[in-house]
Amino acid sequence: MGEPFYITTAISYPNGKPHIGHAYEAIAADAIARFQRQSGRDVRFQTGTDEHGLKMVQTARDRGMAVGDLASEMSSHFRAMCDNLNISYDRFIRTTDADHYRASQAIWQAMEAAGDLYLDRYEGWYSVRDEAFYDEKELVAGEGGEKLSPQGTPVTWTAEETWFFRLSKYQQPLLDLYRDNPDFIRPESRRNEVMRFVEGGLSDLSVSRTSFDWGVPVPGSPGHVMYVWVDALTNYLTGAGYPEAEMRHWPADLHLIGKDIVRFHAVYWPAFLMSAKLPLPRSVFGHGFVLHRGEKMSKSVGNVVDPADLVSAFGVDALRYFLLREVSFGQDGSYSAEAIVTRVNAELANSFGNLAQRTLSFIAKNLGNLPEGGRADDTDGVLIEEVIVAAAGLKAAFGDLMLSQGIEAWMRGVFACNQYIDAQAPWSLRKTDPERMNAVLRTLVRAIRMLAIAILPVVPAGAGAILDQLGVAEAERDHAAIDDDGWYERRVSSGAALSVPSPAFPRLEMPVETA
């Protein structure tokens, strides 16, 4: 097996159905996971649902159903979203899973053994929607003067007996962590925000509740359930086999999360792990929001779109390509039906899809097999080198989580191929110089194969269909195989014919219902 690589998304809170933000995070994590598998890493990719907490209790009560039944029903929507988006997760975890209860109680006991948990009474502001406690100094005033969380959510005054975690003890160790490991929090803007928060002083954190019982029971403390963030964050350990198994995939290489929950992952989580004497994750990346026509999605505004509707309107690969290409990873981005159609048609359908379609269709109709021999010239080698550079640019950018820039580098290879085919005009060479036509088509097939392998993590279905048409085996679809000169000869010697291909990336039409 290759070197381990463990990537996680945030686990989604399923008191409502998935939206485009959930889809974006899952797609980005999937592209990174697929890229790392291509690089030879032993990847473990985990996503799932965070099913405990007061919001779930309230939602179940409002719907007149048992909270466990609600959790199962709503979790199924998130699993279906992942499957619909071709997300290659290794585990879809639920915080109601039995092994997660064991992991959560184990880390609790480790923190208790470290002397970092104590029983006291909590009085302060709590946001049910955020499942978070806030200091008075963090609150903001609403339009009517009411107190709101920094996220703009309602807060209520809460008073109850609770277990506290000695977060204040870890202020300096956390600052040392950020200083010594600049990539622990990415992008840099998130790191700066977290450092300012921690430098402002940390208060001990309430980590249990007694006002409801839907959660992981606190060991040895009847009536207490774990505060949702202790429970939720521990899912990453659960998926690695904690506490029973040898954790080959821990520490996690990347926690991919929304920017609104960076604090919990970059402050609370490493402090819990320090207390439990467990290795820290290598990096926490807080991506931006996906906005609809530049506006944040809101049920009251009516601009919340189910990802399944977008898949129905545009297709899985088109949606994946647009979100990863259009949004600079780590920043906010915006989408609309017009933007999706314009971007996908210009680059995926008209540029790469059409390149592959007209090349392979021409070969299938006129030759039947991949061309042999041919009269090469310098332009062929120049194109192959340009494509190799483009694929290497994608690889370097993806390795640094610069997803949009990686696709942009890949597009330079696509553009080079289109310039080459237009200049060489194999349809004209068929009559005037068949030997030169064979060399041109041979060069194009090699280039298309390399480009399809490189873009597989982004559009696995369409790129995979092109590689199937070329007879590229699964074992030949990693980065090491991109510039394998011997592949073409092996494929030709097999004598397999090419059939007329179906378009891997058809042009999109503007759907009336989403326009």
Side-chain angles (χ1 to χ4, degrees):
M1 291 187 292
E3 183 183 357
F5 184 87
Y6 185 20
I7 179 172
T8 69
T9 68
I11 49 175
S12 303
Y13 205 82
N15 67 323
K17 290 185 178 181
H19 55 66
I20 189 64
H22 297 114
Y24 174 59
E25 183 169 299
I27 289 168
D30 181 67
I32 296 166
R34 289 176 183 271
F35 168 80
Q36 292 293 341
R37 290 191 192 103
Q38 278 191 311
S39 300
R41 304 289 293 273
D42 173 22
V43 173
R44 184 168 183 82
F45 171 22
Q46 180 165 297
T47 189
T49 45
D50 171 16
E51 300 173 22
H52 293 133
L54 183 55
K55 280 188 292 189
M56 291 294 287
V57 174
Q58 293 177 342
T59 302
R61 184 190 308 128
D62 293 342
R63 292 185 55 181
M65 62 190 304
V67 65
D69 292 340
L70 173 70
S72 294
E73 174 194 318
M74 298 306 294
S75 179
S76 70
H77 293 302
F78 286 83
R79 187 189 293 267
M81 178 200 74
C82 288
D83 293 342
N84 198 25
L85 292 170
N86 202 3
I87 305 302
S88 61
Y89 58 85
D90 295 290
R91 178 170 179 181
F92 187 96
I93 194 169
R94 298 179 57 187
T95 54
T96 49
D97 291 342
D99 62 340
H100 179 66
Y101 271 59
R102 293 193 296 272
S104 298
Q105 291 178 330
I107 194 173
W108 182 282
Q109 290 167 331
M111 294 190 295
E112 188 173 28
D116 288 336
L117 297 174
Y118 62 93
L119 195 62
D120 205 339
R121 182 173 177 80
Y122 177 81
E123 292 188 3
W125 296 103
Y126 183 74
S127 166
V128 175
R129 192 178 304 173
D130 297 345
E131 294 285 7
F133 297 96
Y134 293 105
D135 291 335
E136 181 81 31
K137 64 184 179 182
E138 297 180 80
L139 301 182
V140 298
E143 292 182 2
E146 71 276 18
K147 294 180 183 294
L148 300 174
S149 76
Q151 312 299 333
T153 58
V155 294
T156 56
W157 185 260
T158 301
E160 62 182 298
E161 182 184 69
T162 181
W163 284 92
F164 280 85
F165 173 73
R166 298 185 192 278
L167 185 63
S168 57
K169 171 182 171 180
Y170 292 94
Q171 179 173 341
Q172 192 56 48
L174 287 169
L175 291 173
D176 293 342
L177 168 67
Y178 310 148
R179 182 195 64 232
D180 296 340
N181 300 275
D183 286 341
F184 179 74
I185 307 171
R186 296 183 62 190
E188 186 178 3
S189 58
R190 313 275 186 261
R191 177 175 176 267
N192 293 338
E193 291 169 6
V194 170
M195 288 190 69
R196 286 195 297 270
F197 172 76
V198 175
E199 287 168 347
L202 296 177
S203 302
D204 289 351
L205 182 68
S206 172
V207 289
S208 76
R209 303 299 303 274
T210 58
S211 55
F212 57 92
D213 62 2
W214 178 242
V216 178
V218 171
S221 189
H224 285 259
V225 295
M226 293 184 195
Y227 165 51
V228 69
W229 282 103
V230 176
D231 163 15
L233 291 163
T234 301
N235 93 87
Y236 306 129
L237 283 175
T238 306
Y242 179 79
E244 292 94 350
E246 178 183 352
M247 294 194 291
R248 169 173 167 76
H249 286 89
W250 191 263
D253 293 87
L254 179 62
H255 291 321
L256 183 60
I257 58 170
K259 66 180 182 179
D260 53 333
I261 55 172
V262 169
R263 177 194 306 180
F264 306 105
H265 286 77
V267 180
Y268 301 167
W269 183 224
F272 295 161
L273 292 168
M274 289 176 185
S275 174
K277 298 177 175 57
L278 291 167
L280 306 186
R282 295 187 174 94
S283 186
V284 174
F285 192 100
H287 64 77
F289 295 146
V290 178
L291 310 175
H292 184 249
R293 301 184 186 276
E295 294 184 352
K296 192 170 182 180
M297 286 169 288
S298 167
K299 290 181 180 179
S300 60
V301 176
N303 62 352
V304 178
V305 177
D306 189 324
D309 294 337
L310 293 173
V311 168
S312 296
F314 305 110
V316 177
D317 274 353
L319 181 61
R320 289 172 63 106
Y321 184 86
F322 173 81
L323 289 174
L324 297 180
R325 174 72 168 104
E326 187 80 8
V327 181
S328 183
F329 202 47
Q331 300 178 18
D332 290 348
S334 184
Y335 82 97
S336 66
E338 296 91 341
I340 295 173
V341 169
T342 299
R343 174 71 77 177
V344 170
N345 281 349
E347 296 184 357
L348 203 54
N350 294 350
S351 293
F352 185 52
N354 187 51
L355 169 72
Q357 180 68 15
R358 61 175 171 163
T359 300
L360 301 185
S361 294
F362 184 88
I363 294 172
K365 291 177 181 177
N366 294 283
L367 301 177
N369 296 292
L370 294 179
E372 298 185 60
R375 181 171 53 78
D377 68 22
D378 291 345
T379 61
D380 306 340
V382 169
L383 177 66
I384 293 301
E385 184 58 32
E386 286 182 292
V387 172
I388 290 173
V389 169
L394 181 146
K395 183 179 179 181
F398 268 50
D400 198 30
L401 303 183
M402 299 170 64
L403 306 185
S404 179
Q405 293 90 327
I407 300 172
E408 183 177 358
W410 174 82
M411 278 302 307
R412 289 195 284 272
V414 175
F415 292 149
C417 285
N418 279 299
Q419 290 174 342
Y420 172 87
I421 193 174
D422 290 340
Q424 298 295 326
W427 47 88
S428 298
L429 293 172
R430 178 173 175 267
K431 296 180 180 180
T432 61
D433 193 347
E435 284 297 300
R436 178 61 191 145
M437 177 196 73
N438 282 357
V440 169
L441 294 174
R442 179 189 183 100
T443 300
L444 286 167
V445 168
R446 290 181 60 201
I448 290 167
R449 171 187 160 275
M450 289 189 283
L451 291 168
I453 291 173
I455 205 63
L456 260 175
V458 178
V459 284
I466 291 172
L467 293 170
D468 288 343
Q469 169 69 16
L470 291 173
V472 180
E474 291 289 339
E476 298 176 310
R477 300 184 181 190
D478 58 22
H479 295 298
I482 283 181
D483 57 352
D484 176 10
D485 286 335
W487 168 83
Y488 193 92
E489 283 67 29
R490 293 194 301 272
R491 184 73 179 94
V492 168
S493 65
S494 71
L498 286 182
S499 57
V500 178
S502 299
F505 301 108
R507 280 181 55 83
L508 300 181
E509 301 296 333
M510 184 69 67
V512 175
E513 61 272 20
T514 60

